[in-house]
Amino acid sequence: FPSHDIGEEPQGYSNEQIELVLNMLKDMDEKCQEIIHMRFWGGKRYESIAQIIEKKLSAVKMRGKRCLDDLYLKFKQSYEYAS
């Protein structure tokens, strides 16, 4: 899996929070990593991702949503635990 080059820090998030999310992403399954990487670091639309990984658009959108939901919950739990 390629390394993440996030460039500028997104507004409202600390480097620590960004690193936490990237580490959580590494713990996700390969398909989730691939979809999230292509979508957010590669700037690809779900239509392009579906063609690249040879899956139906609806399946890629659903998988992407589930992966993001899982990532969000892990981040939220981790962040609440640290507070």
Side-chain angles (χ1 to χ4, degrees), residues 31-48:
K31 277 294 178 203
C32 281
Q33 289 182 29
E34 184 177 27
I35 290 170
I36 291 172
H37 178 77
M38 284 192 278
R39 180 75 177 106
F40 296 99
W41 280 271
K44 298 201 180 312
R45 299 177 55 89
Y46 283 119
E47 292 84 358
S48 298

Side-chain angles (χ1 to χ4, degrees), residues 1-72:
F1 187 70
S3 65
H4 300 289
D5 179 17
I6 56 176
E8 286 185 37
E9 182 179 305
Q11 269 189 332
Y13 297 98
S14 69
N15 284 334
E16 182 180 313
Q17 290 170 321
I18 294 167
E19 286 301 317
L20 178 63
V21 169
L22 292 177
N23 285 330
M24 290 176 179
L25 183 58
K26 289 178 189 175
D27 292 336
M28 298 181 86
D29 67 69
E30 193 172 314
K31 277 294 178 203
C32 281
Q33 289 182 29
E34 184 177 27
I35 290 170
I36 291 172
H37 178 77
M38 284 192 278
R39 180 75 177 106
F40 296 99
W41 280 271
K44 298 201 180 312
R45 299 177 55 89
Y46 283 119
E47 292 84 358
S48 298
I49 296 169
Q51 289 177 340
I52 292 167
I53 64 174
E54 298 177 341
K55 298 287 182 186
K56 290 183 179 181
L57 175 59
S58 59
V60 172
K61 283 183 175 180
M62 181 58 69
R63 184 66 184 264
K65 181 185 179 335
R66 288 181 181 153
C67 295
L68 289 173
D69 287 347
D70 187 40
L71 192 60
Y72 171 76

